[in-house]
Amino acid sequence: MKFSEISGEQWDELKPYLDTCLLPVTGLNGTEPPAETTQALEDLRDVMDGIEIPFKGRVVTYPACHYTGETDSHELVEKLCGALKRSGFRYVIVVSARLRNLAPPSADLTFVPNHEGVSAKAEAIGQAIRSLWAPPVNA
């Protein structure tokens, strides 16, 4: 569910059910040629679809951070994660199909490509998200 699909009046009613925010990070720096920019956006969309579609009604997708670059993204994304949690989201999931080293401490989950540039499979992402929501097991 996109943040823009929820009216101001609906937020209070839906807040208990929409406790998870997706924060897409494209990681562009502005010097990419159009074809590379298009590919980066398509790759991010593909990963996001694997989360948004199966978890619709439980997650809210915020606008993407497009122009963060490789180095500036860490501090900016960390600030955004903190702000999103202060605004009421219990969980923040950061997703990038481009930035391999993105690991904001305030994010509850981060999905980025591995060292070979390969993104996690939808099944693994889904399992990680379900585990995040699972009640703690008493030992």
Side-chain angles (χ1 to χ4, degrees):
M1 177 172 263
K2 307 278 193 249
F3 76 99
S4 59
E5 295 174 355
I6 305 167
S7 70
E9 298 81 34
Q10 291 175 306
W11 271 109
D12 287 335
E13 180 184 332
L14 295 175
K15 194 172 187 176
Y17 309 103
L18 299 174
D19 62 351
T20 305
C21 177
L22 298 179
L23 180 61
V25 181
T26 311
L28 300 172
N29 61 28
T31 62
E32 299 85 359
E36 186 178 337
T37 301
T38 299
Q39 188 62 55
L41 292 168
E42 289 174 354
D43 291 345
L44 182 58
R45 177 210 56 214
D46 292 346
V47 177
M48 293 297 295
D49 281 352
I51 300 170
E52 290 175 311
I53 294 169
F55 296 113
K56 185 174 180 157
R58 179 74 194 263
V59 299
V60 178
T61 301
Y62 260 60
C65 298
H66 291 296
Y67 294 97
T68 59
E70 184 69 38
T71 56
D72 296 335
S73 60
H74 302 278
E75 186 177 329
L76 172 64
V77 173
E78 173 59 19
K79 286 180 182 179
L80 289 170
C81 288
L84 289 166
K85 285 190 169 190
R86 286 188 299 278
S87 76
F89 287 103
R90 182 171 180 187
Y91 305 108
V92 176
I93 301 172
V94 174
V95 181
S96 181
R98 185 178 176 102
L99 301 176
R100 297 178 188 170
N101 297 319
L102 186 61
S106 294
D108 296 285
L109 289 173
T110 303
F111 297 110
V112 297
N114 65 18
H115 65 281
E116 297 169 351
V118 178
S119 295
K121 300 288 184 208
E123 183 178 311
I125 291 172
Q127 181 57 41
I129 293 170
R130 284 187 291 279
S131 294
L132 178 69
W133 293 334
V137 178
N138 294 331

